[in-house]
Amino acid sequence: MHRLPVTPRADWRAHVERDLGFAFHTIDGAPYWDETACYRLTAAEVDEIEAATEELEQMALALVDDVVRTGEEAFERLRIPRVAWEAIAASWHSREKNLYGRFDLAYRGEGPPKLLEYNADTPTALFEAAVVQWDWLQTSWPERDQFNSIHERLIEAWANFGIAPRRVHFAAVRNHAEDIGTVEYLRDTATQAKLETARIAIEDIGWDGLSFRDLENQPIDVLFKLYPWEWLVGEEFGQHLLSGGAQVIEPAWKMVLSNKAALALLWEMAPDHPNLLPTFLEPGRIDGRTVRKPIYSREGANIQVLDAGRVVAETDGGYGAEGFVYQAHVEMPAFDGNTPVIGSWVIASRPAGIGIREDTTPITRDTSRFVPHFFE
């Protein structure tokens, strides 16, 4: 695995906006999509990432099964509100299908990939991984290959959901460019799978006492929501979703995996697994540097790196009310002062490709750059 400096395409901004609809390539005046570098991997490294992703996904599914069978004690350890327990169990027992997820991995090409966290409910950086970096490869390195079958797998997954002839409503928060871009891309893949689709802001979804309704008073039978379950369960809107008012994607059982307490339960289930880092719900269990993460948090917020109890790095934010997990610190790879995190995608629980985010700090945040890759 190597980081290579490359010359950006001369017209890349105009091209990705006009031809791909990639509107959020720059965030607050700084580049988010970065063509000044790329990562070169070997085929063997890609195979290792793919195998680790497959293994982690099967472990995650086994954890959901274990949590549902254990019941109250497990749900409480995950800090999942009681109001959601029945819906989680029902969605799991009825084998509700899931669409996608992203494992964030530490990997330098040496040793096994290590799981940092699993974005199981509302992962973003999907459009960039599936479409934008593939377009870059085709125009910049057409003789190379890329670990990327995300687009094809998404179309296949939608076709296998058994949704037709019902319409799928795609919802995200109004005026959030990245979330809207992700939702519009997913909507396009559903359309390519011959499904009828519509878009609606999450704020505009109505409830008439019997069913969800859109702004045209049409029923919402199937809802893809890029809005976290942990937020929904605390809102009146979410209570109706939990009661089965619509089929929801991702399904309610993803709540087991969309919080970082699941990392501790995975370690209990498979201690010393080569793809896991020691992680605990209690402080003081780890010798050496420790990373404290909120059980519920997003985009690298409220993370602390602790050394003998002393904070040596941290990010701000508004999370942490539900508690924290404590994960063994792993020395992140560094290439020319940049720290990459590999986002390894699963579509319908199958490995499908990767996207790489990098930063000059050890903590990946929402402003961290997306850098393309190829392998040979």
Side-chain angles (χ1 to χ4, degrees):
M1 181 174 175
H2 296 281
R3 186 180 191 272
L4 307 177
V6 294
T7 301
R9 295 171 290 180
D11 64 341
W12 73 264
R13 288 177 180 82
H15 166 64
V16 299
E17 289 180 9
R18 179 188 63 244
D19 300 327
L20 304 181
F22 186 31
F24 52 95
H25 54 72
T26 302
I27 299 177
D28 296 331
Y32 165 63
W33 169 260
D34 189 355
E35 293 192 6
T36 64
C38 68
Y39 282 88
R40 180 182 68 197
L41 289 82
T42 66
E45 289 168 342
V46 167
D47 288 344
E48 186 169 30
I49 294 169
E50 184 175 20
T53 302
E54 171 67 24
E55 176 82 0
L56 289 167
E57 177 69 355
Q58 293 308 309
M59 291 169 60
L61 296 175
L63 177 62
V64 178
D65 191 65
D66 184 69
V67 166
V68 169
R69 283 189 293 103
T70 302
E72 179 175 352
E73 179 186 357
F75 285 132
E76 288 183 342
R77 297 186 73 204
L78 289 163
R79 308 296 197 273
I80 296 174
R82 183 179 294 270
V83 68
W85 296 357
E86 184 178 344
I88 291 170
S91 71
W92 181 251
H93 289 315
S94 62
R95 300 181 180 273
E96 289 190 7
K97 295 179 180 179
N98 72 111
L99 180 65
Y100 74 148
R102 191 191 75 226
F103 291 98
D104 286 347
L105 308 173
Y107 183 65
R108 67 179 72 241
E110 302 171 356
K114 297 289 188 179
L115 176 63
L116 301 173
E117 59 186 69
Y118 185 18
N119 298 275
D121 183 24
T122 58
T124 55
L126 177 69
F127 179 61
E128 307 90 284
V131 175
V132 184
Q133 70 168 342
W134 182 257
D135 174 78
W136 168 87
L137 182 80
Q138 296 304 299
T139 56
S140 300
W141 300 81
E143 72 282 4
R144 300 294 195 271
D145 205 349
Q146 191 175 86
F147 181 23
N148 189 359
S149 60
I150 299 170
H151 187 77
E152 295 81 7
R153 291 282 175 84
L154 283 168
I155 296 171
E156 179 184 5
W158 284 119
N160 290 334
F161 258 97
I163 292 171
R166 294 172 296 162
R167 176 188 299 176
V168 186
H169 282 75
F170 287 80
V173 174
R174 185 186 290 111
N175 298 328
H176 191 293
E178 183 181 5
D179 284 6
I180 291 171
T182 301
V183 164
E184 280 299 283
Y185 170 59
L186 284 167
R187 182 184 172 195
D188 178 66
T189 59
T191 300
Q192 292 188 50
K194 311 301 183 185
L195 297 180
E196 184 181 355
T197 69
R199 189 179 118 191
I200 188 170
I202 200 86
E203 300 91 336
D204 291 334
I205 296 175
W207 174 255
D208 67 2
L210 296 173
S211 63
F212 291 102
R213 297 280 166 169
D214 63 18
L215 292 175
E216 298 176 349
N217 202 33
Q218 294 300 306
I220 298 175
D221 297 317
V222 183
L223 176 67
F224 175 89
K225 48 95 199 150
L226 195 65
Y227 193 79
W229 267 112
E230 67 263 25
W231 295 358
L232 283 171
V233 295
E235 303 173 7
E236 182 180 358
F237 172 78
Q239 304 300 311
H240 300 308
L241 284 179
L242 289 170
S243 66
Q247 179 182 348
V248 186
I249 303 168
E250 293 293 284
W253 61 258
K254 278 291 187 84
M255 279 187 265
V256 173
L257 303 176
S258 63
N259 69 79
K260 295 177 182 61
L263 298 170
L265 271 61
L266 281 170
W267 181 254
E268 290 179 7
M269 189 174 72
D272 300 317
H273 190 282
N275 298 126
L276 297 178
L277 293 166
T279 307
F280 301 93
L281 292 170
E282 309 82 17
R285 300 283 302 275
I286 298 169
D287 295 328
R289 282 198 169 192
T290 304
V291 181
R292 192 192 76 168
K293 300 179 176 181
I295 287 176
Y296 291 111
S297 67
R298 306 176 69 75
E299 298 175 336
N302 297 102
I303 290 177
Q304 289 185 346
V305 180
L306 306 170
D307 193 349
R310 181 173 59 91
V311 178
V312 297
E314 65 178 330
T315 57
D316 59 10
Y319 299 98
E322 294 81 9
F324 301 88
V325 297
Y326 300 85
Q327 186 179 67
H329 181 269
V330 60
E331 195 64 37
M332 296 295 292
F335 298 86
D336 304 320
N338 297 281
T339 300
V341 169
I342 294 177
S344 188
W345 290 93
V346 286
I347 308 299
S349 291
R350 297 166 60 197
I354 62 172
I356 300 176
R357 301 279 301 281
E358 68 172 21
D359 209 301
T360 55
T361 72
I363 300 173
T364 304
R365 294 164 289 187
D366 59 341
T367 55
S368 299
R369 302 178 308 280
F370 191 107
V371 180
H373 81 280
F374 68 84
F375 75 87
E376 55 188 3

